[in-house]
Amino acid sequence: MRVRTALTAFATITALAIGAASAAPAFAAPHGAAAVRAADSLDVHRGKYVTLGGCQTAGQQGIDRGHWDRYQCAEGTFFWNLWTNR
């Protein structure tokens, strides 16, 4: 019974940690690392995200707040790169 309770608690904590990490920006890349460039003159790099959903959420929130008009999430080696037009 204790094992089942411990496993349930571990699974819950793990699910919460993964959910929180999906919307947060990823760790900063090493200083010399190049980000994958986006197309269509989207030349402002806004950050790296662990998941595509996190990148898209941040891009849409920027549009909703009037910070930029367009965004693109470009797939990198390990992370999704958010590019915007301004």
Side-chain angles (χ1 to χ4, degrees):
M1 191 64 128
R2 288 183 182 164
V3 173
R4 184 180 301 164
T5 304
L7 288 176
T8 302
F10 177 74
T12 303
I13 291 170
T14 303
L16 290 173
I18 290 172
S22 67
F27 298 107
H31 186 52
V36 176
R37 296 290 297 186
D40 300 328
S41 71
L42 298 173
D43 55 355
V44 180
H45 186 254
R46 297 290 177 174
K48 295 177 179 281
Y49 294 83
V50 177
T51 64
L52 175 59
C55 183
Q56 291 172 335
T57 299
Q60 188 59 48
Q61 286 176 349
I63 289 175
D64 295 343
R65 294 177 181 150
H67 296 298
W68 49 79
D69 300 319
R70 296 180 301 133
Y71 75 92
Q72 179 181 1
C73 294
E75 188 173 8
T77 305
F78 296 107
F79 303 110
W80 290 91
N81 296 287
L82 176 61
W83 292 92
T84 66
N85 64 323
R86 55 183 163 129

